[in-house]
Amino acid sequence: MEDRPVIMVQVEDPQWTADVLHAACRLARNCGGEIALVHMVRVRSLLYLGTDFGYLDLSDEDKQRLAGYVETAEDYGLPHSVTLYQYSDLYEGIVDAVELVGACVAFGRLPKSVIPFWRECRFELLRNRLSHQHVELFDGDARDGGVAPSL
């Protein structure tokens, strides 16, 4: 089995995911990598982690969107995988998901906060934490120079 670089794409907002998925596919094609689509599913209770109850909030619409993202990766002719990842804290969930799929590059996003700068601070902390694991983290926003220039 070939050892290919894994580029993880967190499935998030549909428009954002579509944009970063195309960038990730271009990157994977250029480096001979593969795409790991990771749909983060927030659990209603910690007791639901690792159980079928943890997928209660996974809708048919989510499944259809995932199928569309898989088609995009197939259109690029790339090997790909889909992972449904249950979490209670998205920050830790992204770290764990990156490790689970063995990603060397990740496209991820944290939720907006009522404190204007908190999202950006947490994202930079996450980027720093993942850099210690030799993982590059991008979110496709302006501070990354957009998605394409960062690649």
Side-chain angles (χ1 to χ4, degrees):
M1 177 182 260
E2 274 184 60
D3 192 24
R4 300 172 182 259
V6 176
I7 293 95
M8 182 187 110
V9 176
Q10 174 193 352
V11 176
E12 229 267 343
D13 168 73
Q15 184 60 52
W16 179 86
T17 303
D19 291 344
V20 299
L21 179 56
H22 284 286
C25 286
R26 288 190 302 269
L27 176 62
R29 190 170 50 195
N30 289 340
C31 71
E34 63 184 82
I35 298 294
L37 293 164
V38 179
H39 186 80
M40 307 295 287
V41 182
R42 185 179 182 125
V43 294
R44 295 181 186 182
S45 167
L46 289 176
L47 296 173
Y48 293 172
L49 278 174
T51 69
D52 288 342
F53 292 117
Y55 299 112
L56 288 173
D57 291 329
L58 185 64
S59 69
D60 289 337
E61 185 179 328
D62 291 333
K63 293 174 188 173
Q64 290 173 351
R65 270 193 252 125
L66 268 172
Y69 301 141
V70 166
E71 286 178 20
T72 300
E74 288 173 349
D75 289 345
Y76 279 89
L78 295 169
H80 56 278
S81 63
V82 176
T83 302
L84 299 176
Y85 192 86
Q86 297 175 5
Y87 73 95
S88 64
D89 174 51
L90 187 57
Y91 180 94
E92 292 297 327
I94 291 172
V95 172
D96 292 343
V98 163
E99 186 176 342
L100 176 72
V101 300
C104 60
V105 175
F107 289 87
R109 201 169 187 196
L110 294 172
K112 291 184 180 178
S113 172
V114 293
I115 303 170
F117 59 87
W118 188 241
R119 174 183 181 183
E120 288 78 14
C121 288
R122 286 196 38 120
F123 187 82
E124 289 306 316
L125 289 170
L126 180 60
R127 184 189 308 247
N128 185 35
R129 182 170 173 185
L130 289 174
S131 72
H132 291 293
Q133 297 171 310
H134 308 289
V135 177
E136 290 290 328
L137 177 66
F138 300 101
D139 68 357
D141 287 345
R143 72 178 165 280
D144 279 341
V147 174
S150 63
L151 304 178

